[in-house]
Each structure stands twice: as C-alpha cells, then as structure tokens.
Amino acid sequence: MKGKKMLEELKPHEVFRWFEEITRIPHCSYKEEKLSSFLVEFAKERKLEWYQDEKKNVIIKKRASKGKEKAPAVILQGHMDMVCEKLADSNHNFDTDPLELAIEEDWLRANNTTLGGDDGIAVSYMLAILDSGEIQHGPLECLFTTSEEMGMEGAFAVTKEHLEGKYLFNIDGEVEGDLLVGCSGGIVITSTHPIEKEKVLGEAKSFRLKLQGLEGGHSGQEIHKSRGNSIKCIGRILYSEVENLRILSLKGGSKHNAIPTNSEAEFLLLGENTEEVLEKIHQKAEEIRKEYSVSDPNFEITIESWRL
Ligand SMILES: [Zn+2]
C-alpha cells in the first residue's frame, strides 16, 4: 500500500483526502499548534483571508461564488482537537506519529488509537469546501476552534470582531443525518475545600477501597442512562462511617466529560471495634453495588487491608 492513499476510494473523495492528510498531523487537545499552522498555510497558499488568535483558533474566509454575493454570510464551525487515547500496549506517540488508518467493512478506524473523527471530519469538510472551485456558496467563514474536548476553551476565546456570518453551522453532531437547533452545554467547576489534617493517636487500621467496572460513558450522551458515578459512590461509602474513618488519599475519574468508572481511597479505621465498622462499610458497599446492578452489571467494590 506504500504511496497509495488509504482513503482514496471513500466518498466524498475531497473530504476523505483532507481527513487522511490531517491524521498525519498531531492534534490532541492542547496540542493543536501544528494543525493550526497547517490551516494558516492552507489559507495563505490559496490567498484566502485568515485570522489566527492566541488560542490557535483559525478563521478562514472565502468569498461568495459568482452570483451568490448577496446571500447572507454563513459560519461553518468545527474543532481541531481530538481525544487521544490508545491501547495499553501501544507505543504510538501522539505528538509525532501519524495515525494508522484501517478500513473494516463500512467502518473507518485507527489501529490501536482513537481516530479523531470527532472532529476531524468537520475540519475535512471545511477544507474541501474552501478548496473547491465548483461548490456554489455565499460568503463563507470557516471557524476552526481548539481544546473543545477540554471544555470548549478555544471557542470561549472567539470574539465576534472577525466574524460577520448571521448563521452558524456547528459540524460536530452525534447522529448522522440529524440537524439540531440548539446545542449541549458544558461547564467546568473548580471546587476547593480546606482539609484538616490530624495526628493518629492510638489504634488504627489501614484499608484500600476500590470501585471499578462501572459502565461510564459520555457525560452528555449517556447521562440519562442512570449509570453509577464512581466518585459519588465512593463518597457515599466513606461518608457512611464518617465518625470512625479518616481518609488518607482519594482519587477518581479521568476526564471532565466522562462519567467516572473508577475511584480509589485509602483510609484508616480508628478505635477498637474496627471489625464491626468494616462490616458496616462492606454492607454499605454491597447496598450501592446492588443499586446499580442493572445499569452497571460489572460494578465491583473491593476493600483490602494494607500496612501503612
Ligand atoms: Zn466534537
């Protein structure tokens, strides 16, 4: 297959040609510089008006096709960044390596890594339209934003001074063929709480509590499925014996837009009747596990003792 383009046969040809091109350019969230520069070069080569801001968002404008000058300007928008995840045994380097594409039946995917279809397909569509001499359109403003997956950070930095379009089409839908009016939103909250440290005096036993196997999913797409949130669950377990328990460490979740599947805590049980308290914690854990037995059948909660 050397020299041959993998996606040559896919239609629309121009869209997949650009898609293949951008899979060779690193573009993880917060690492969009190379793709952002590529877009600027693309605009320069075609003598299109462009603008790049400090968040690396890029706007490329294209004049209306002949006879369409009076049409209202339209903004097309998609995000440059992709979620970069790979299989545990993959040595793929997202900062340097091109993605390895594979076609399987009707599906295009990447070997060992995420594909970046979200939202590479939007970037590809926009490039194909900007590059085309045939597609008829009114005044176009293509807006390529950054760090969408991190909380739409790029989009938040976009100001209207470089945009005139009256209509905006966001090309980042969930279901093929659906056109939605409105959008989902997201918010990132940083919450800080003071912690009180204390010296352990007297008897104490140390334990490790692990929650895993929850289904998780996207915080927007799967939020209505009543799936367990491992951070909330671990909080409920620990809080149930708050009198006798002291937390040593606590962690959970991986991404702000993913329902947390795992969480872990190390804690101490104080006093003499630790067996009894531990039994109650086990009961609480079992109660919570059962609560989610339908939505999260693989939910597992383990408590093990360890030496401090
Ligand atoms: Zn997206």
Side-chain angles (χ1 to χ4, degrees):
M1 292 289 276
K2 248 197 178 158
K4 191 176 185 307
K5 288 198 174 141
M6 182 85 199
L7 308 184
E8 219 162 42
E9 310 293 321
L10 301 184
K11 288 179 191 166
H13 295 305
E14 284 308 301
V15 173
F16 283 100
R17 182 165 80 79
W18 287 111
F19 188 83
E20 184 156 11
E21 186 91 25
I22 64 172
T23 61
R24 301 196 186 104
I25 307 167
H27 56 285
C28 299
S29 299
Y30 290 145
K31 293 181 174 176
E32 302 97 337
E33 313 82 44
K34 288 199 177 95
L35 184 52
S36 184
S37 310
F38 173 84
L39 295 173
V40 169
E41 287 310 311
F42 170 97
K44 282 184 185 167
E45 278 167 24
R46 288 159 186 79
K47 302 202 168 28
L48 296 169
E49 187 185 340
W50 60 274
Y51 173 75
Q52 184 186 40
D53 66 20
E54 56 190 22
K55 286 278 184 190
K56 301 291 173 195
N57 297 308
V58 173
I59 296 168
I60 303 178
K61 298 189 182 186
K62 191 180 171 194
R63 287 207 188 116
S65 315
K66 224 171 176 217
K68 304 266 184 199
E69 297 86 350
K70 295 237 163 70
V74 164
I75 305 169
L76 299 178
Q77 184 263 329
H79 62 90
M80 279 179 231
D81 59 315
M82 65 175 275
V83 175
C84 291
E85 293 286 347
K86 58 180 181 179
L87 295 181
D89 57 356
S90 161
N91 50 15
H92 181 88
N93 182 346
F94 278 109
D95 294 341
T96 51
D97 301 345
L99 301 180
E100 211 181 285
L101 301 176
I103 297 176
E104 240 170 56
E105 293 176 7
D106 272 350
W107 292 95
L108 167 62
R109 57 173 190 78
N111 285 327
N112 308 318
T113 67
T114 40
L115 174 69
D118 175 8
D119 201 11
I121 199 70
V123 176
S124 311
Y125 265 98
M126 290 193 276
L127 291 178
I129 295 168
L130 289 169
D131 199 32
S132 166
E134 288 154 32
I135 299 171
Q136 296 289 300
H137 54 76
L140 267 188
E141 302 179 318
C142 292
L143 169 60
F144 304 86
T145 55
T146 53
S147 319
E148 190 269 354
E149 305 289 356
M150 309 313 288
M152 305 187 195
E153 290 184 19
F156 276 117
V158 173
T159 57
K160 54 185 181 184
E161 59 175 311
H162 298 280
L163 294 166
E164 280 133 47
K166 196 174 167 199
Y167 302 100
L168 184 146
F169 287 89
N170 163 266
I171 315 173
D172 193 12
E174 305 292 353
V175 184
E176 192 174 357
D178 278 7
L179 184 66
L180 301 173
V181 178
C183 71
S184 56
I187 190 164
V188 177
I189 296 172
T190 307
S191 171
T192 314
H193 296 273
I195 53 164
E196 269 175 48
K197 290 192 177 179
E198 62 181 288
K199 278 215 164 74
V200 177
L201 304 166
E203 287 287 304
K205 282 186 182 148
S206 41
F207 298 91
R208 190 175 285 123
L209 169 63
K210 267 191 196 176
L211 278 65
Q212 54 198 338
L214 285 159
E215 295 296 305
H218 191 279
S219 65
Q221 269 171 280
E222 267 106 16
I223 205 68
H224 62 297
K225 296 183 178 169
S226 303
R227 291 180 179 170
N229 172 329
S230 66
I231 297 177
K232 284 187 177 180
C233 291
I234 206 167
R236 284 173 63 193
I237 297 171
L238 296 170
Y239 192 69
S240 69
E241 286 302 325
V242 69
E243 294 293 318
N244 305 299
L245 183 152
R246 296 294 178 271
I247 293 170
L248 297 170
S249 71
L250 182 60
K251 60 184 176 188
S254 57
K255 287 196 160 62
H256 77 274
N257 57 356
I259 302 167
T261 57
N262 300 296
S263 58
E264 200 177 319
E266 291 167 331
F267 63 88
L268 291 179
L269 289 184
L270 309 178
E272 274 138 39
N273 57 345
T274 49
E275 289 299 315
E276 210 177 296
V277 178
L278 187 63
E279 185 46 38
K280 283 191 190 160
I281 294 175
H282 272 289
Q283 282 170 13
K284 189 72 189 173
E286 184 54 15
E287 177 193 317
I288 292 173
R289 196 192 60 75
K290 275 193 185 148
E291 218 176 277
Y292 290 101
S293 58
V294 174
S295 61
D296 300 84
N298 301 315
F299 188 14
E300 247 179 61
I301 304 177
T302 54
I303 305 171
E304 55 182 29
S305 66
W306 62 288
R307 268 183 179 279
L308 204 55

